[in-house]
Amino acid sequence: MDITDRSVVRAPDFPLDPNNLPFGRTFSPNMFLMDYDEERGWHNPRIVPFGPLSLSPATMVFHYGQEIFEGLKAFRHPDGSVHIFRPDRNAARFNRSARRMSMPEIPESVQLEAMRALVAVDREWVPPTPGALYIRPTMIATQESLGVSPSTQYLYFIITGPTGPYFRTAGKTLRIMIARDWVRAAPGGTGAAKTGGNYAASLLARKIARDHGCAEALWLDAVERRHVEEVGAMNIMFVLDGVVTTPPTSGTILEGVTRESIGVLCKELGIPFVQRAIHIEEIIQGLEAGDCTEVFGCGTAAVVAPVGELVDILPDGSERVYKVGDGSEGPVARKLREVLTGIQFGTHPDTHGWLVRV
Ligand SMILES: *Cc1c(COP(=O)(O)O)cnc(C)c1O
């Protein structure tokens, strides 16, 4: 691929202090763009200064929501080198999302080259440990038309930005609300695709969770409203009788790269790991009986996010609170986070070839 380079090389004019970089607010100076139309396919790959896009108000993405995205990170190692964590898995998932949303795929090799070229240009923006450069590849429908059909034109863009650790205070746990009245994804729907509409539809439950002092909603399945699916925009795991247990991804759950990586690490560390359907009643009983010792979310942003309390909002508006252990982070979550971030930060050997050097 011949990438036209019109980048501006600019180092940050402030120190990239990982403990003072809120997620998703600061952007690196350049972005990658590439266009698609039916005659030419993907064409005109270019790196240009970060800035506004100019789009007609009739652009299809604004009306029917044909949009997909990815989220991954690049890390700075102690020797100064920069590495992206498992970008091949995100590129493959991007194409699965594209198929579900009737959008054109982009060869994985093209996606990887685009990410590497952009991160290379803005490598000064990769903060030191425990920070990372967040990478956000996105595709939008750009045909100007109000007709309901798949767009014939698309824009692929990648933006990046330095970010600190999700948790600034080690050992902090989340309080989460069991979402009884809203669902995130239904069988046959778009739950397995990383598409903006899933997020838009989840914000109301999140707001109600926040009103009850909870950070996120715990999503149950749409049909029986009892199988646990995800927490916020993270996959969920439970330690049940010493076994790390997570629901299988079968269309309504996003196939997280962190989730998959944790499965591999569990095997390696000798921690039992199973995928099976999990009922919310089983969890509540397990918490009360002491068989469920840990609950944690996992995803690129937070890596491992321990949950300290589950909250049920009763019909009269009162709360029923189920504590997880003593409410602090458990040993399994801590171990998995240490090993996974160790690989990412270059302090633990990368025996799986998960890091791609920029
Ligand atoms: C992105 C995402 C995840 C986590 O996936 P990772 O690849 O681990 O970052 C989980 N659930 C939802 C709904 C997501 O959008």
Side-chain angles (χ1 to χ4, degrees), residues 97-115:
S97 298
R99 284 198 288 279
R100 178 63 184 84
M101 304 306 288
S102 304
M103 299 169 89
E105 295 178 36
I106 303 176
E108 283 177 34
S109 59
V110 171
Q111 295 185 53
L112 297 190
E113 204 182 326
M115 287 188 240

Side-chain angles (χ1 to χ4, degrees), residues 69-72 90 93 184 191 193-195 198-199 230-235 253-260 298-301:
F69 65 95
E70 270 304 327
L72 64 165
N90 295 85
R93 186 171 69 193
R184 192 193 80 88
K194 221 167 167 73
T195 184
N198 289 340
Y199 281 71
E230 299 207 55
V231 55
M234 292 182 285
N235 293 117
I253 294 178
L254 194 106
E255 298 172 293
V257 178
T258 316
R259 173 187 184 279
E260 183 192 319
C298 60
T300 294

Side-chain angles (χ1 to χ4, degrees), residues 41-251:
W42 288 108
H43 63 279
N44 195 13
R46 56 205 187 274
I47 295 176
V48 298
F50 180 97
L53 303 172
S54 177
L55 295 168
S56 155
T59 302
M60 286 180 99
V61 64
F62 298 139
H63 303 277
Y64 309 125
Q66 245 190 322
E67 185 265 4
I68 59 172
F69 65 95
E70 270 304 327
L72 64 165
K73 283 177 174 173
F75 300 90
R76 185 174 297 286
H77 283 191
D79 67 359
S81 60
V82 171
H83 304 255
I84 308 179
F85 185 72
R86 305 195 78 183
D88 54 313
R89 304 305 297 144
N90 295 85
R93 186 171 69 193
F94 193 71
N95 283 340
R96 292 198 297 278
S97 298
R99 284 198 288 279
R100 178 63 184 84
M101 304 306 288
S102 304
M103 299 169 89
E105 295 178 36
I106 303 176
E108 283 177 34
S109 59
V110 171
Q111 295 185 53
L112 297 190
E113 204 182 326
M115 287 188 240
R116 279 176 86 162
L118 181 64
V119 174
V121 165
D122 282 333
R123 60 184 307 126
E124 294 298 317
W125 292 77
V126 184
T129 304
L133 186 76
Y134 185 76
I135 307 171
R136 170 54 62 88
T138 308
M139 193 201 303
I140 56 172
T142 50
Q143 188 186 353
E144 276 185 62
S145 168
L146 299 183
V148 178
S149 68
S151 175
T152 59
Q153 294 167 12
Y154 295 87
L155 174 69
Y156 173 64
F157 63 83
I158 309 173
I159 57 176
T160 72
T163 176
Y166 189 82
F167 289 114
R168 285 158 203 220
T169 29
K172 192 183 147 200
T173 58
L174 301 178
R175 182 175 144 95
I176 62 176
M177 180 192 81
I178 303 169
R180 302 273 188 188
D181 298 335
W182 299 271
V183 294
R184 192 193 80 88
T190 58
K194 221 167 167 73
T195 184
N198 289 340
Y199 281 71
S202 76
L203 296 176
L204 179 60
R206 185 172 189 273
K207 183 191 175 292
I208 290 159
R210 297 253 157 167
D211 290 346
H212 285 274
C214 297
E216 297 290 351
L218 178 70
W219 301 107
L220 306 179
D221 77 284
V223 179
E224 294 180 46
R225 305 280 180 101
R226 60 198 294 244
H227 298 96
V228 179
E229 297 209 319
E230 299 207 55
V231 55
M234 292 182 285
N235 293 117
I236 187 147
M237 300 198 177
F238 302 90
V239 180
L240 287 167
D241 295 318
V243 179
V244 176
T245 309
T246 194
T249 56
S250 47

